[in-house]
């Protein structure tokens, strides 16, 4: 059975897209077929794979302009595929608001093809609007990337409230797969305090792997490559490889 995982955080700049992209890449390297779904109008995951500006994308599929199999593209990494996004997707929140199935558009879209992949990883916008709700309704698992800073703790409670609401009203199968710390700077007491507090409260829900701040990780998207193809020996790459092992083991 395909594992469908959504990455959620209403705060931008926390490493959500970086985590979805690079985790997917290392899972693909393990021999699993992976589909990355860019469901964010900013399309950062799409550009991070060097695929910006594609005429066929998730918005075109949702509006019936093209077929799903026409929009899905293979990346330069074996076993890694992507359903790209574009800024046009921002219009979906307005255009589709009157549809009765508006919360299940992505779920219905993925249903016919989910058996083709071992993993489907969904990257959502940094908000808790209708697009993120679609991601939560389509997935069975949630991974929450959490930046190691004070405001991240404040936002975590809101994310958890939203997930509980979705579990109660829209998707009873949804579960929190784990929380992953990102942009960790071991030199600061605050980062260590955040890790200690969250780990103490959520215990086994927190992944052991912590993603550090890393220049090479920041550079990779501008070259249109996952970190495993840009610099597989840097500390960021090694961290995502380890995180992929954890995610696979939890399955």
């Amino acid at each position: 059975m395909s594992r469908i995982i959504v990455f959620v955080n209403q705060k931008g700049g926390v490493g959500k897209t970086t985590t979805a992209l690079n985790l997917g890449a290392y899972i693909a390297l393990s021999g699993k077929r992976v589909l990355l779904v860019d469901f964010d109008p900013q399309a950062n995951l799409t550009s991070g794979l060097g695929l910006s500006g594609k005429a066929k994308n998730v918005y075109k599929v949702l509006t019936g302009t093209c077929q799903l199999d026409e929009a899905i593209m293979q990346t330069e990494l074996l076993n890694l595929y992507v359903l790209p996004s574009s800024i046009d997707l921002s219009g979906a929140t307005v255009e589709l608001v009157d549809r009765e199935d508006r919360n299940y558009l992505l779920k219905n879209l993925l249903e016919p093809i989910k058996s083709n992949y071992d993993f489907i990883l969904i990257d959502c916008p940094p908000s808790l609007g209708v697009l993120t709700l679609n991601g939560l309704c389509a997935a069975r698992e949630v991974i929450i990337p959490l930046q190691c800073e004070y405001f991240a703790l404040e936002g975590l409670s809101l994310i958890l409230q939203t997930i509980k609401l979705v579990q109660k009203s829209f998707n009873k199968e949804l579960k929190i797969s784990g929380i992953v710390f990102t942009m960790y700077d071991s030199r600061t007491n605050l980062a260590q305090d955040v890790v200690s507090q969250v780990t103490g409260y959520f215990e086994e829900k927190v992944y052991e792997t912590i993603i550090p701040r890393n220049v090479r990780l920041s550079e990779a998207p501008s070259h249109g490559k996952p970190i495993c193809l840009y610099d597989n020996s840097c500390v960021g790459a090694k961290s995502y490889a380890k995180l992929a092992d954890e995610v696979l083991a939890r399955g």
Side-chain angles (χ1 to χ4, degrees):
M1 182 181 292
S2 177
R3 289 180 63 184
I4 306 178
I5 305 174
V6 63
F7 295 77
V8 174
N9 196 312
Q10 83 278 14
K11 187 176 184 297
V14 301
K16 178 176 55 61
T17 300
T18 299
T19 298
L21 193 161
N22 290 302
L23 181 59
Y26 277 103
I27 292 175
L29 282 175
S30 77
K32 304 292 186 183
R33 282 174 61 89
V34 180
L35 174 64
L36 297 174
V37 178
D38 192 347
F39 214 56
D40 183 350
Q42 295 181 75
N44 289 335
L45 187 149
T46 300
S47 63
L49 290 168
L51 298 172
S52 295
K54 297 298 178 182
K56 296 177 180 178
N57 52 59
V58 67
Y59 175 75
K60 299 293 186 182
V61 178
L62 284 174
T63 54
T65 309
C66 75
Q67 298 298 311
L68 179 59
D69 58 354
E70 295 176 318
I72 293 175
M73 306 185 65
Q74 183 166 7
T75 70
E76 61 179 304
L77 193 65
L78 184 66
N79 294 321
L80 186 65
Y81 301 81
V82 63
L83 177 56
S85 184
S86 75
I87 189 62
D88 295 335
L89 186 60
S90 59
T93 57
V94 176
E95 295 171 26
L96 306 173
V97 71
D98 292 330
R99 289 180 53 164
E100 290 186 7
D101 63 343
R102 62 185 175 276
N103 295 329
Y104 299 98
L105 295 172
L106 184 58
K107 177 181 174 66
N108 295 336
L109 194 70
L110 297 176
E111 190 67 30
I113 55 104
K114 66 182 184 181
S115 61
N116 297 341
Y117 303 93
D118 299 299
F119 283 80
I120 297 176
L121 308 183
I122 304 169
D123 186 33
C124 290
S127 67
L128 297 177
V130 67
L131 295 179
T132 297
L133 186 56
N134 263 262
L136 290 167
C137 289
R140 295 179 67 112
E141 303 176 47
V142 183
I143 288 180
I144 304 172
L146 197 67
Q147 190 176 359
C148 297
E149 62 171 33
Y150 174 74
F151 290 117
L153 288 177
E154 288 191 330
L156 182 58
S157 61
L158 182 57
I159 298 169
L160 296 175
Q161 288 173 24
T162 302
I163 291 171
K164 285 181 180 179
L165 175 64
V166 172
Q167 289 170 327
K168 181 180 179 180
S169 304
F170 302 107
N171 184 2
K172 292 180 172 59
E173 296 181 340
L174 188 67
K175 66 176 184 179
I176 298 175
S177 182
I179 297 169
V180 56
F181 294 112
T182 61
M183 301 181 178
Y184 179 75
D185 187 344
S186 60
R187 298 170 299 179
T188 68
N189 291 331
L190 178 58
Q192 296 173 41
D193 288 344
V194 169
V195 170
S196 178
Q197 288 184 50
V198 175
T199 303
Y201 186 80
F202 290 98
E203 298 177 344
E204 74 279 357
K205 287 292 185 185
V206 177
Y207 288 106
E208 291 182 11
T209 305
I210 296 176
I211 309 301
R213 287 191 178 276
N214 181 239
V215 172
R216 302 298 275 174
L217 272 179
S218 302
E219 291 174 348
S222 64
H223 294 267
K225 295 179 182 293
I227 192 63
C228 61
L229 294 181
Y230 181 65
D231 185 351
N232 197 36
S233 64
C234 71
V235 64
K238 292 176 180 177
S239 298
Y240 275 114
K242 186 178 176 184
L243 179 62
D245 289 340
E246 271 198 83
V247 171
L248 288 165
R250 289 195 182 190

